[in-house]
Amino acid sequence: MDLSFETVIGLEVHVQLATESKLFCSCPTAYIGTEPNTNVCPACLGLPGSLPSLNRRALELGVKAALALDCSVNAMTRFHRKNYFYPDLPKAFQVSQYDIPLAVSGSMPIFLEGRVKNINITRLHLEEDAGKLVHKTADGRLSGASFSLVDYNRGGVPLAEIVSEPELSSPEEAREYVLTIRRLVRYLEVSDGDMESGSLRVDANISQKCSDGRWGSRVEIKNVNSVRAMERALEYEIIRQREILLNGEEIVQETRHWDDGAGVTRSSRSKEEAHDYRYFPEPDLPPIKIDEELVKYIGCSLPELPWDRRERYIREWGLSQADSVSLSENQDVALYLEKTVAFGADRQLAANWVRTYILRLQNETGVAINDLAVGPEDLASLLVHVKQGSLSSTAAKDVLGIMFALGVKVGAAMEKSGISAGGVSRDALFETVARILEANPAETGVIIAGGDTAVRKRKYLMGLVMKEIRGQAAGEEVSAAFDAVLGSIRDRSL
Amino acid sequence: MAIDEKDVLHVARLARLEIPPERVDPMVRYFQDIIEHFRTLEKCDTEGIDPFEESGSHSCPLRDDEPEIWSYVIDALEEAPLREGRFFKVPAIDGEGDPDDLS
């Protein structure tokens, strides 16, 4: 019997919240490029007698993300201690949430190959990050090291853990889900969402449903440090699990670590079960009543969400999928575009130009879009010329370059570039034609002699002229200039 | 719940403690005593009371997000039994252990 399989994936995404200070103490949150154990205090070092004090901003950012994910924010929430012994946790427990998380029951749309799929969100809870261990072996492996070095700068940094329902059915969907969360948290400025530096971390749960009714056990994959690594780990795990089921064997429910170098997942020896964590309510933090007014206020102040904006660009503006994704994922970019349109630019043209040139200039210069020398009003006035046909796209691109380089308005930039709206001057056109003809005597000779290939040669030289004048004259004008200049050459040679 | 040797060794493993064989039996008895004590507590009538009603009507106080540097970090490092530079130094851990592996 031929068996078929369905893949079932659920993701836990940890997002580092963009606060200045840690979740339960006032230590700064900076840990990258910071001297080890600089931003630590009795609370995050777990020294006796220290007490946690909850960061209001972390709570607010959690609520903001939760509302954007369409979650219900619990009126009362509380923290639990999750106990385990490992040197990255100086207190020997992590303060996390358990039975009453900050928010539950949300959903988020993902877009894949032109389809929308809503992924339900189980919960969003807050927790503190652990410290970092440096294992002292030459090859960086854990085994064989006689001791470890610990840096607690990251310990206590606030995280929001977003848990999805097991509703993702392929590595591609998982990828899109993670990218959508990343875009969202960046858009909301809840987190920088940087996976490489560890501000966004993913654990994946994956299982296989077999057409003969068997359901393979769930396997949790850890240690995926990039979206690509997650996809590869999931692809690997799908093949591994299907092979086991095809052999009529059982899949072991376990945690496996992704080895990016070897491209495999490996069984982790850890065998802790949920009850081993001995979760119990954090006695040093009373339950937190979430102010209804605060939730309403944060809800009202949420910007238009990226997927709503994206839908609007497709439906109302008629933009392509690709354009609407890249223009809606960053709020500043979206606002820049919308202002450009408000200043009179054509929507489609503005979308093309922002996506192609403005974003490129932003990336090349590293200057934030709001600080670019060319603002939405300037771009709009340039695009009005393009729309009216008084500037070709090529010429407009040059003008834009000058506007950026010199920080000048459209008029001044056009003057500077010798371009006037309406095209090149007659003299400039004639001069260019003469120069091109002179530089290509063989072709010019053929054209004058009227040989078999004269028409082709003429087209070729006209192309060169067009390139030189950046398309700033109509074909007929160029053709007329050709006739005139060729005529005078013929006269001269007689 | 009856506690036996297996439970004690499991808890010891979670706590990364090595228990000499002759200490296992006394530990089983300690564990049983503790469980017995909780059985006594269980006799209290807690019907209708939130299991963790510790704080009355007060909500958790919140702190503003203002970073502060603690000025005694060096003292804390110096108090550590072992350190290397600015790192705390700890014996290597047997097994991967870090079940949530956030690092």
Side-chain angles (χ1 to χ4, degrees), chain A residues 20-22 25-29 39-41 44, chain B residues 63 67-68 70:
Chain A
E20 297 289 321
S21 64
K22 293 185 179 179
C25 62
S26 299
C27 290
T29 47
N39 296 329
V40 292
C41 74
C44 56
Chain B
R63 163 180 61 81
E68 265 173 50
W70 185 52

Side-chain angles (χ1 to χ4, degrees), chain A residues 110-117 170-173 175-176 231 310 321 325:
Chain A
I110 60 168
F111 295 76
L112 203 71
E113 290 159 3
R115 286 186 309 112
V116 182
K117 180 171 175 180
S170 66
E172 295 74 34
E173 283 190 8
R175 171 178 196 274
E176 195 48 40
E231 270 190 288
R310 172 188 173 136
Q321 288 271 347
V325 178

Side-chain angles (χ1 to χ4, degrees), chain B residues 4-71:
Chain B
D4 60 20
E5 192 182 311
K6 225 174 75 211
D7 296 316
V8 168
L9 291 176
H10 177 63
V11 171
R13 194 190 71 81
L14 292 174
R16 320 251 170 232
L17 290 174
E18 201 177 338
I19 300 188
E22 70 275 13
R23 297 278 299 145
V24 174
D25 237 17
M27 278 292 173
V28 171
R29 286 198 301 279
Y30 290 149
F31 274 40
Q32 278 165 347
D33 288 349
I34 292 167
I35 298 284
E36 203 47 54
H37 179 66
F38 274 85
R39 275 203 192 104
T40 309
L41 292 178
E42 262 181 355
K43 288 178 187 153
C44 297
D45 179 13
T46 54
E47 193 61 36
I49 298 172
D50 178 349
F52 303 107
E53 189 59 66
E54 74 273 43
S55 67
S57 57
H58 299 293
S59 177
C60 181
L62 300 175
R63 163 180 61 81
D64 288 336
D65 183 28
E66 281 159 11
E68 265 173 50
I69 299 273
W70 185 52
S71 16

Side-chain angles (χ1 to χ4, degrees), chain A residues 233-247:
Chain A
L234 289 172
E235 282 159 8
Y236 174 86
E237 204 44 37
I238 289 172
I239 294 170
R240 190 188 72 86
Q241 294 185 9
R242 288 183 180 178
E243 273 175 7
I244 293 174
L245 291 171
L246 283 171
N247 289 337

Side-chain angles (χ1 to χ4, degrees), chain A residues 168-479:
Chain A
L168 297 155
S169 43
S170 66
E172 295 74 34
E173 283 190 8
R175 171 178 196 274
E176 195 48 40
Y177 173 86
V178 172
L179 292 177
T180 307
I181 291 220
R182 186 169 70 176
R183 285 195 290 265
L184 177 72
V185 295
R186 286 180 171 173
Y187 186 90
L188 296 174
E189 295 174 348
V190 157
S191 169
D192 69 20
D194 187 6
M195 230 173 148
E196 277 62 41
S197 68
S199 310
L200 191 147
R201 278 166 269 163
V202 182
D203 295 334
N205 289 298
I206 176 165
S207 59
Q208 296 294 319
K209 197 178 162 186
C210 187
S211 55
D212 64 5
R214 284 181 299 157
W215 195 311
S217 299
R218 180 170 57 92
V219 167
E220 181 168 17
I221 311 174
K222 291 177 178 290
N223 196 39
V224 288
N225 298 321
S226 67
V227 177
R228 184 69 200 121
M230 179 192 71
E231 270 190 288
R232 288 177 63 211
L234 289 172
E235 282 159 8
Y236 174 86
E237 204 44 37
I238 289 172
I239 294 170
R240 190 188 72 86
Q241 294 185 9
R242 288 183 180 178
E243 273 175 7
I244 293 174
L245 291 171
L246 283 171
N247 289 337
E249 292 161 23
E250 299 257 321
I251 289 164
V252 181
Q253 182 172 341
E254 61 179 346
T255 298
R256 297 179 70 87
H257 279 73
W258 171 246
D259 179 337
D260 204 49
V264 297
T265 62
R266 295 186 204 281
S267 178
S268 146
R269 280 172 292 162
S270 119
K271 289 189 185 63
E272 273 86 345
E273 307 261 354
H275 65 257
D276 287 335
Y277 289 127
R278 296 181 300 124
Y279 275 105
F280 65 87
E282 167 58 83
D284 291 340
L285 286 164
I288 304 124
K289 289 186 178 142
I290 307 285
D291 185 8
E292 208 178 315
E293 290 303 310
L294 176 75
V295 175
K296 270 191 203 152
Y297 172 76
I298 294 175
C300 291
S301 59
L302 275 184
E304 183 183 22
L305 295 172
W307 41 84
D308 293 335
R309 189 165 240 149
R310 172 188 173 136
E311 271 303 285
R312 184 161 60 84
Y313 285 169
I314 295 173
R315 214 180 42 248
E316 292 177 19
W317 288 35
L319 298 190
S320 69
Q321 288 271 347
D323 277 351
S324 44
V325 178
S326 64
L327 293 167
S328 61
E329 68 182 42
N330 177 300
Q331 194 174 195
D332 288 338
V333 172
L335 289 176
Y336 186 101
L337 169 67
E338 293 183 14
K339 280 185 201 158
T340 305
V341 171
F343 280 117
D346 175 76
R347 283 172 173 176
Q348 181 66 59
L349 206 53
N352 289 346
W353 278 69
V354 170
R355 188 175 178 212
T356 316
Y357 301 115
I358 302 295
L359 289 183
R360 186 193 298 161
L361 284 160
Q362 182 188 235
N363 293 339
E364 281 172 6
T365 56
V367 177
I369 193 160
N370 288 334
D371 302 326
L372 287 177
V374 176
E377 191 171 2
D378 304 317
L379 180 64
S381 49
L382 179 72
L383 295 183
V384 166
H385 282 296
V386 176
K387 182 72 181 172
Q388 289 168 351
S390 51
L391 263 184
S392 71
S393 292
T394 325
K397 200 181 130 193
D398 289 351
V399 173
L400 182 66
I402 292 168
M403 289 164 75
F404 264 102
L406 305 178
V408 293
K409 302 277 174 206
V410 177
M414 279 166 62
E415 221 165 87
K416 204 89 191 163
S417 70
I419 294 167
S420 59
V424 286
S425 67
R426 189 174 181 278
D427 287 353
L429 179 59
F430 271 65
E431 188 270 326
T432 309
V433 170
R435 190 152 36 79
I436 295 286
L437 290 175
E438 256 167 53
N440 297 278
E443 285 80 0
T444 307
V446 173
I447 296 168
I448 291 172
D452 292 346
T453 54
V455 174
R456 214 161 37 145
K457 301 283 183 211
R458 183 181 163 109
K459 269 192 184 156
Y460 166 68
L461 292 188
M462 273 179 66
L464 293 182
V465 171
M466 275 296 196
K467 197 171 162 198
E468 189 95 345
I469 61 167
R470 299 169 189 285
Q472 281 187 88
E476 305 86 74
E477 279 181 77
V478 179
S479 192

